[in-house]
Amino acid sequence: MGAVMGTFSSLQTKQRRPSKDKIEDELEMTMVCHRPEGLEQLEAQTNFTKRELQVLYRGFKNECPSGVVNEETFKQIYAQFFPHGDASMYAHYLFHAFDTTQTGSVKFEDFVTALSILLRGTVHEKLRWTFNLYDINKDGYINKEEMMDIVKAIYDMMGKYTYPVLREDTPRQHVDVFFQKMDKNKDGIVTLDEFLESCQEDDNIMRSLQLFQNVM
Amino acid sequence: MAAGVATWLPFARAAAVGWLPLAQQPLPPAPGVKASRGDEVLVVNVSGRRFETWKNTLDRYPDTLLGSSEKEFFYDADSGEYFFDRDPDMFRHVLNFYRTGRLHCPRQECIQAFDEELAFYGLVPELVGDCCLEEYRDRKKENAERLAEDEEAEQAGDGPALPAGSSLRQRLWRAFENPHTSTAALVFYYVTGFFIAVSVIANVVETIPCRGPARRPPREQPCGDRFPLAFFCMDTACVLIFTGEYLLRLFAAPSRCRFLRSVMSLIDVVAILPYYIGLFVPKNEDVSGAFVTLRVFRVFRIFKFSRHSQGLRILGYTLKSCASELGFLLFSLTMAIIIFATVMFYAEKGTNKTNFTSIPAAFWYTIVTMTTLGYGDMVPSTIAGKIFGSICSLSGVLVIALPVPVIVSNFSRIYHQNQRADKRRAQQKVRLARIRLAKSGTTNAFLQYKQNGGLEDSSSVDEQALCIRNRSAFEQQHHHLLHCLEKTTCHEFTDELTFSEAVGADSLGGRTSRSTSVSSQPAGPGSLLSSCCPRRAKRRAIRLANSTASVSRGSMQELDTLAGLRRSPAPQSRSSLNAKPHDCLDLNCDSRDFVAAIISIPTPPANTPDESQPSSPGDGGGASSTLRNSSLGTPCLLPETVKISSL
């Protein structure tokens, strides 16, 4: 009987071992920790006060103890804010806009720098950042396909249950309207200057840019 | 919302900047955030033990006690802290939930106490983290079962009072099932038990050889043959009692068919039938063999004891549930027996005067050897036979000894697993339902908020409904974000119902197109907009009429309805709290044809530059107040910011 139980237990431990290795591997990956530069430096580089930086970092560190955010987390966060539809594509583009060095992970400094531009920056900076977001392949020009992708991603966030019912060509129409307005020389692409110019002509956009001034 | 999402709010709001150039309508202004005092440390005093935490931490879960304004009830102004007269040890877990997002279950505390604390602090038990969930549920189930048992025992002891007008049948049945209810039932219970015992003992004693007193060759005879009359009388008496009992039960049973099919009644029948068959069988030698066989069945009377004994019932149930494992054991044994019997037979074939006359004859040897009994009535004589015989006995040990612990552990594992699997399946459905509910809760929160006419001017705080004001700051910001997204895409969030209605409307052949053409007068710049708005108007008409408007309603009808409602003081679907301010607004501001603005986009009066202001989603009556939206404080002035930019 003892032999029986012995064989039993050894069988079980054999099964458990491979999974333990996997867990160790995962632990190794998450051990990569990143600490941001000093508070004073960040305060100098961004438009936030020390207190605001503290609050931001505490929240950031709580969610990402390793000090970096990856794309998956971005997508999850956005999914929670916009549960109606699928926010993953827009989160993807956003992530690449945040990740200026294209490393695949966003450190706190990048995060806070981008936030500083978007929430406290000048109109010019904000528009630049937005242009950078739309320019998916970062070649300095926005063409219709890139715009199509972005607009489609935004419409995806709306989800299925919208009023009026989303049609197939609604994004395309939207993009056409946009290009009509932005593309001054009608060459099919929008450069940074065209973009800045068109936006500055539009009072609506100018006013809306002031909307997100107050943070947190 | 889930853990820490509030932390990412600035990020979400910043990312919304990306929508700005695409927005075809002006985006709504952000909700007026009262000057946040930055982050502050709150002191929570739980029965003397002070816990300090950031206010942000508690705000993460706004639908709990500590995260909502409910904690203000516990605020002690003198000491500047929140005082709770509860268990500080349990509070530690609650607070850790806010900090880490995972609720752990304390192992040394009573699960009931933990539950009560959770209920007090507004945490649902579903929040218990995965690491502790299994144990939590098991302990809770255990507790619940124990409490249920206690209750049942209490109830059984007292005996539920029968309704006054119960028939004899019902009372009889109850007496049979619960012997403890009345004295007569108890007496009956013991009498039948006694007679079962008597009958079984009589069967046994019948076969003992009693020495006949004065017989020349002292012959040993079974007592049954010596005192046939006595035993016959005893048997008759027992059978009469059993028959009476059976018939009474049959009479009292609420469902006779079901009773006839039940195991206990079958046992009863098997117990008494042999006697009656024996009565009618003639006493000749040919049949007496069969008759004797029948008497064997009398031993089944012993199973009648299972009505009297709980343990027997449990054993029976256990065997029944373990049947497949036992079956497998039997099968493997049979295989081994056949194999070895064949081998032994052929090994011993040559010997003369051998016991192994056939393979079935060798079965007996194999069984006795494998179970290590070894009677010795059959032994192999050839060397080959002996070798195979020893292999047989060795493997017998293995074959028998191996499955038995497997069966035992299998049984307990499968039993628990089944229970857990059923539990988990049931709980999974509930869990998924709750998650979906929570998810739709956030979705619905925004829709509900819109329905409540929430997208109002934040400056007129006093006039806002309490339900809207009480949203947390985070919720305000979140709803603002969703609103911005709506404006960017020029589509609105709706619920399934309205969506299916709208889909139906479209499929009915685009009646809405007519409304479009009617309404868009200065069609030029605002063309894109006008395609949106009339549909919204139609929807509002549906809502205003407060009925499931059949989508087939003509657009003209809708316009009439709206026009008719233009001067109505209060739309039905708005809460009365909102009606008042709307009322006075309507009287104060003249010719604010806001509602009309929805339907048609006429040349606006002089001071309403927002001819094509798309009233934010909300009920039609709320149009005026929603137009106050961007006005900063003066209700009758319309903002100049709201202008449709033709893109």
Side-chain angles (χ1 to χ4, degrees), chain B residues 537-549:
Chain B
K538 181 186 85 145
R539 185 180 66 112
R540 207 170 290 110
I542 294 175
R543 286 233 189 109
L544 275 179
N546 210 9
S547 61
T548 47

Side-chain angles (χ1 to χ4, degrees), chain B residues 381-592:
Chain B
S381 19
T382 58
I383 297 187
K386 287 193 177 142
I387 292 176
F388 286 119
S390 41
I391 295 177
C392 175
S393 62
L394 284 176
S395 66
V397 173
L398 282 177
V399 169
I400 301 271
L402 261 184
V404 170
V406 172
I407 285 179
V408 166
S409 74
N410 246 12
F411 167 67
S412 95
R413 184 175 56 87
I414 290 176
Y415 178 71
H416 285 283
Q417 219 177 43
N418 265 353
Q419 292 231 327
R420 214 174 288 142
D422 288 336
K423 263 192 280 179
R424 206 180 301 135
R425 240 177 282 128
Q427 286 152 14
Q428 190 76 352
K429 279 189 233 165
V430 173
R431 268 186 121 193
L432 286 176
R434 272 199 201 260
I435 289 172
R436 238 179 290 124
L437 198 65
K439 198 172 178 219
S440 71
T442 17
T443 329
N444 285 343
F446 183 56
L447 295 171
Q448 189 66 30
Y449 166 64
K450 285 200 299 189
Q451 277 186 23
N452 287 341
L455 299 163
E456 299 194 16
D457 182 11
S458 51
S459 65
S460 60
V461 161
D462 306 325
E463 293 162 1
Q464 273 181 353
L466 277 166
C467 57
I468 294 169
R469 236 185 307 157
N470 274 347
R471 294 174 308 141
S472 65
F474 171 70
E475 260 189 25
Q476 281 185 2
Q477 303 278 354
H478 185 225
H479 289 168
H480 173 246
L481 269 182
L482 290 173
H483 194 204
C484 287
L485 184 59
E486 281 184 341
K487 283 291 158 71
T488 312
T489 55
C490 199
H491 286 68
E492 285 169 21
F493 291 112
T494 61
D495 50 14
E496 247 181 273
L497 194 59
T498 333
F499 176 73
S500 39
E501 279 175 14
V503 167
D506 287 343
S507 68
L508 279 173
R511 278 172 203 268
T512 54
S513 57
R514 259 194 286 146
S515 65
T516 316
S517 56
V518 166
S519 52
S520 59
Q521 281 170 9
S527 59
L528 204 65
L529 183 64
S530 54
S531 63
C532 306
C533 294
R535 293 210 185 101
R536 197 179 293 128
K538 181 186 85 145
R539 185 180 66 112
R540 207 170 290 110
I542 294 175
R543 286 233 189 109
L544 275 179
N546 210 9
S547 61
T548 47
S550 61
V551 180
S552 54
R553 209 201 293 176
S555 46
M556 292 310 294
Q557 265 182 305
E558 296 154 15
L559 293 175
D560 287 343
T561 327
L562 269 179
L565 281 167
R566 214 198 304 166
R567 290 294 167 217
S568 69
Q572 301 92 319
S573 33
R574 284 290 286 284
S575 60
S576 54
L577 277 165
N578 288 333
K580 245 203 278 176
H582 167 78
D583 234 343
C584 44
L585 196 64
D586 234 331
L587 297 170
N588 285 343
C589 311
D590 61 333
S591 70
R592 276 290 165 248

Side-chain angles (χ1 to χ4, degrees), chain A residues 36-46 48-50 53-54:
Chain A
E37 319 161 0
L39 194 50
E40 287 83 13
Q41 266 179 301
L42 275 179
E43 192 190 358
Q45 285 170 5
T46 65
F48 289 120
T49 67
K50 243 191 202 161
L53 281 173
Q54 280 178 339

